[in-house]
Amino acid sequence: MTAKDTDTIGFYAREAETYASRGREPAVIQLDQFLAYLPAGASILELGCGGGQDSRYMLDRGYDVHPTDGTPELAAEATKRLNHPVGVLLFENIDAQAQYHGIFANACLLHVPRAALPAIIGKIHTALKPSGTFYASYKAGEAEGRDRFDRFYNYPSEQWLRELYTQFGWSKIEITELTGSGYDNEPTNWLHVTATK
């Protein structure tokens, strides 16, 4: 099953400049917690980098960051803002093996259909070096659906995510739930998952 939702990609393609330039601050709390697991200068793959704010934060701290986005238009906007190359990468095309100390996926894997997510998590596990760290965040819920922008979301529960991640033999899985918002400015329960290989 494909992990790509055409309507969701279409939204980000149309809104790329607005989305990338909206002035979102980096996810400092999550970034600092993620980076604390990694050695100095660690190699990091960022998935779904959007406007590049989180990659900028990591680059400025001396990490070897490889930002990517699945929408070419967003990757181009992030490249301009970062003055650093941003790759175009769909989740299903991740093919690295033991290459990265860390993989950071803030508010992007939440667009993957539930049936396709196990294969993606497996690819991420494979792409990490031994003892590597993987961070991702999801909008919590009980059933898949779309928001008012017609973007697709998997809306998992904590239990569903934990059962999914457990299939891949992570040495440690931590899940925290925090309230916040997003591009739609709607109140949102976020699930933050940090897994260690």
Side-chain angles (χ1 to χ4, degrees), residues 8 14 24 71 84 103 129 138 189:
T8 303
R14 291 189 307 273
R24 184 182 75 78
T71 305
H84 183 92
I103 296 179
K129 294 176 182 289
Y138 305 84
N189 289 331

Side-chain angles (χ1 to χ4, degrees), residues 34 103 105 109 121 124 128 132-136 138 165 170 193-195:
F34 168 73
I103 296 179
L109 294 177
I121 301 298
I124 288 168
L128 283 170
T133 298
F134 165 44
Y135 165 82
Y138 305 84
Y165 274 64
W170 301 96
V193 187
T194 303

